[in-house]
Amino acid sequence: MGQDQVLVITDQVALSLVAVLDATKVLKKNGVEQLDPLIITQATPDSPISLESSTIDDVITLFKSLEFLSDQFLANISRVLKPGGTILLRLASQPAQEQVTNSSLERKLMLAGFLEIQSQSFGVIGKKPSWKIGSSFSLKKTSRVLPKVQIDDDVDLIDEDSLLTEEDLKKPQLPSDDCEVGSTRKACKNCTCGRAEVEEKVTLGLTMDQIDNPQSACGSCGLGDAFRCGTCPYKGLPPFQLGEKVSLSGNFLAADI
């Protein structure tokens, strides 16, 4: 196996070897003395990292201010790290509120897409996801087994026909006459059963006596609608002679449209 590639980045002008070894020991338990890390000093938040993508196993960042960890800087770190690679963030001088500082570092790593973020006395550690951008994998489709329904053939079933009575089986008799009177039927043209007169009475709201022998208390009912009052029972009928049967035209009850 080849030697792990370690990158150390700092915004300081110079970096002591002891600080580099101490930070490396946090990530590498064995073989620290054989490591030959690549060290970049005087880095800026927006300075590019001239390394190929996915070539570094571990990145150690030692900085003096939290403003150094910009989104662009962490995106560059994630680019050069191999899938599953580790990043260590270490503030050069730990402030009094160390817990608050570590929480801020954890949040920055989480927003940058790192996983397994941990706070330690030396700093905050995170890992790059083991998958690459654009990678795909198949989803296992779980098959759902439908429960089996046990049907007992010995159970007696009720015959639906046995629930019907003799009255239910009788065919209903519809009323009929020469006009085939029904709820939706009208009197025939030459009605002789009296249905035409009943329909005429219902339509006009008049009695047969008022039609056969029309009378008027005011004397204006037979003159037409122009001379009739609003409550006149003959309203809507054509003019007629008092005492003579009101005659209606053949299409009087027909619809206009």
Side-chain angles (χ1 to χ4, degrees):
M1 293 181 62
Q3 192 179 38
D4 289 349
Q5 296 293 325
V6 179
L7 173 64
V8 181
I9 303 179
T10 181
D11 55 353
Q12 303 178 51
V13 177
L15 195 62
S16 65
L17 182 60
V18 176
V20 175
L21 292 177
D22 290 342
T24 307
K25 288 179 182 179
V26 177
L27 302 179
K28 304 293 183 181
K29 302 300 180 183
N30 301 318
V32 176
E33 292 78 6
Q34 286 75 29
L35 292 177
D36 186 17
L38 174 64
I39 301 176
I40 300 178
T41 59
Q42 293 182 296
T44 59
D46 55 351
S47 59
I49 301 177
S50 302
L51 295 173
E52 295 183 3
S53 301
S54 302
T55 56
I56 302 299
D57 295 282
D58 303 288
V59 175
I60 300 172
T61 305
L62 304 176
F63 50 92
K64 297 181 294 183
S65 173
L66 291 175
E67 285 73 15
F68 178 70
L69 299 177
S70 64
D71 295 339
Q72 181 62 38
F73 176 79
L74 292 177
N76 290 332
I77 295 297
S78 180
R79 181 186 63 81
V80 300
L81 269 176
K82 294 180 180 179
T86 306
I87 179 174
L88 170 63
L89 302 181
R90 166 70 176 179
L91 195 60
S93 57
Q94 289 289 357
Q97 296 180 341
E98 180 178 350
Q99 184 176 1
V100 176
T101 303
N102 287 349
S103 298
S104 178
L105 297 179
E106 292 176 7
R107 184 166 58 254
K108 285 181 176 293
L109 288 180
M110 180 181 65
L111 295 177
F114 290 91
L115 305 176
E116 301 181 24
I117 303 172
Q118 300 176 359
S119 292
Q120 298 184 2
S121 58
F122 194 83
V124 178
I125 299 177
K127 283 191 175 183
K128 181 180 177 179
S130 57
W131 39 266
K132 293 182 179 180
I133 297 177
S135 60
S136 61
F137 59 92
S138 59
L139 297 175
K140 294 183 179 180
K141 185 178 180 180
T142 58
S143 58
R144 298 180 59 185
V145 180
L146 298 177
K148 295 182 179 180
V149 179
Q150 298 293 338
I151 301 178
D152 190 359
D153 296 334
D154 297 333
V155 177
D156 293 334
L157 299 178
I158 299 176
D159 187 5
E160 296 178 355
D161 294 336
S162 64
L163 301 177
L164 300 176
T165 63
E166 293 182 1
E167 293 293 332
D168 297 329
L169 297 177
K170 289 182 179 180
K171 184 178 180 180
Q173 298 295 329
L174 299 177
S176 61
D177 52 29
D178 60 335
C179 283
E180 298 183 4
V181 178
S183 59
T184 59
R185 300 301 299 271
K186 293 184 178 180
C188 56
K189 184 176 182 180
N190 299 320
C191 179
T192 59
C193 68
R195 182 175 180 83
E197 296 179 356
V198 174
E199 290 181 353
E200 183 177 317
K201 176 182 176 182
V202 173
T203 303
L204 301 177
L206 299 174
T207 64
M208 294 303 301
D209 183 60
Q210 288 177 313
I211 296 177
D212 295 335
N213 184 22
Q215 299 296 326
S216 175
C218 63
S220 301
C221 295
L223 300 178
D225 285 346
F227 303 93
R228 293 168 184 158
C229 59
T231 59
C232 181
Y234 298 99
K235 192 172 182 65
L237 293 178
F240 56 84
Q241 296 294 331
L242 298 177
E244 296 181 6
K245 184 178 179 179
V246 179
S247 59
L248 303 176
S249 60
N251 62 348
F252 180 76
L253 296 178
D256 294 336
I257 55 174

